[in-house]
Amino acid sequence: MPEPFATLGRAARLVVLVSGTGTLLQSLIDACSDPAYGAEIVAVGSDRPGIQGLERAVRADIPTFVESLQGHATRAEWDHALTADVAAYEPDLVISAGFMKLVGPEFLARFEGRMINTHPTLLPSFPGTHGPRDALAYGVKITGATVFLVDSGIDSGVILDQRAVPVAEDDTVETLHERIKVAERELLVTITHQLVTRSWRVADRKVLWR
Ligand code: GAR
């Protein structure tokens, strides 16, 4: 995205991918209800049917699609189908918001550089699917949330921004993750607004804002 979307004279088109309860998605839905936010969610996709995230999209009158891994003979076929599903909505930005699958090479070839993900730890610490559990087990005193550009690695892309969250002595995985998600929702809404309204580029693993 070399040019700011503001110069397009229209709201940026977002496709959001989810796998679970979709509270991050909800924060984006709420933010997009203000035209000044600069973006609209044109579709919500999932790798599994019947999840709360999809229900949130339906309630907000946003089109949805489901592309289950189980519905395909190979992971490459799933990647091909997911790429086509998302591409059909011509997104300016793809947002993985609690989407618990790694996208494949075809998806990245099409969307790398304009796909972001959010993770519930301070990367590069504790990547993967159990970030808050791993951070708590390690005994860190501060953890947080990270929004980054997706690349072919596991939570290894260029970091766009982070929020720190202290760990309480009596935290469980659930209480810690819930507190992280409060920070994560604010972070995701803020960084998405910046990405679609400001001019930016990446150099040497750093995002440079004009
Ligand atoms: C969020 O904490 C997100 O970072 C995490 O799933 C949660 C989704 O919450 N994603 C990952 O851990 C990806 N590795 P939500 O369903 O309430 O939006």
Side-chain angles (χ1 to χ4, degrees):
M1 277 189 297
E3 297 299 328
F5 287 121
T7 63
L8 297 177
R10 61 167 172 81
R13 298 171 63 82
L14 312 180
V15 169
V16 183
L17 301 177
V18 295
S19 296
T21 55
T23 65
L24 295 170
L25 165 67
Q26 188 65 53
S27 68
L28 287 169
I29 292 173
D30 295 345
C32 287
S33 68
D34 179 356
Y37 186 68
E40 62 173 324
I41 302 173
V42 294
V44 171
S46 178
D47 59 320
R48 59 185 73 164
I51 59 163
Q52 274 188 57
L54 291 172
E55 290 168 17
R56 290 176 192 274
V58 169
R59 276 203 297 277
D61 280 331
I62 299 168
T64 62
F65 60 88
V66 176
E67 207 57 74
S68 306
L69 198 49
Q70 294 81 355
H72 298 276
T74 64
R75 199 161 179 115
E77 276 182 23
W78 171 77
D79 188 42
H80 178 75
L82 185 70
T83 304
D85 292 334
V86 173
Y89 290 98
E90 302 182 348
D92 297 302
L93 197 61
V94 180
I95 301 180
S96 172
F99 185 61
M100 302 306 276
K101 293 274 186 301
L102 291 177
V103 296
E106 186 171 340
F107 197 97
L108 283 174
R110 183 97 182 217
F111 297 113
E112 189 167 2
R114 53 196 176 107
M115 177 178 189
I116 66 173
N117 192 6
T118 171
H119 184 74
T121 70
L122 292 178
L123 292 171
S125 292
F126 312 113
T129 49
H130 300 289
R133 182 196 73 183
D134 297 345
L136 197 62
Y138 195 90
V140 297
K141 302 301 178 197
I142 295 175
T143 184
T146 304
V147 174
F148 61 98
L149 285 169
V150 174
D151 67 9
S152 58
I154 297 174
D155 301 328
S156 59
V158 167
I159 291 173
L160 295 170
D161 206 355
Q162 297 182 300
R163 292 286 184 276
V165 174
V167 180
E169 267 180 31
D170 59 351
D171 259 334
T172 63
V173 175
E174 290 72 30
T175 60
L176 177 59
H177 195 176
E178 276 310 312
R179 211 160 59 256
I180 291 168
K181 287 211 294 186
V182 173
E184 202 175 2
R185 291 192 276 267
E186 185 275 325
L187 174 65
L188 180 62
V189 165
T190 300
I191 200 76
T192 300
H193 177 63
Q194 291 183 358
L195 289 171
V196 302
T197 56
R198 294 178 65 180
S199 185
W200 57 277
R201 66 188 172 89
V202 172
D204 299 330
R205 279 198 67 89
K206 290 176 190 63
V207 61
L208 305 172
W209 303 97
R210 180 140 34 100

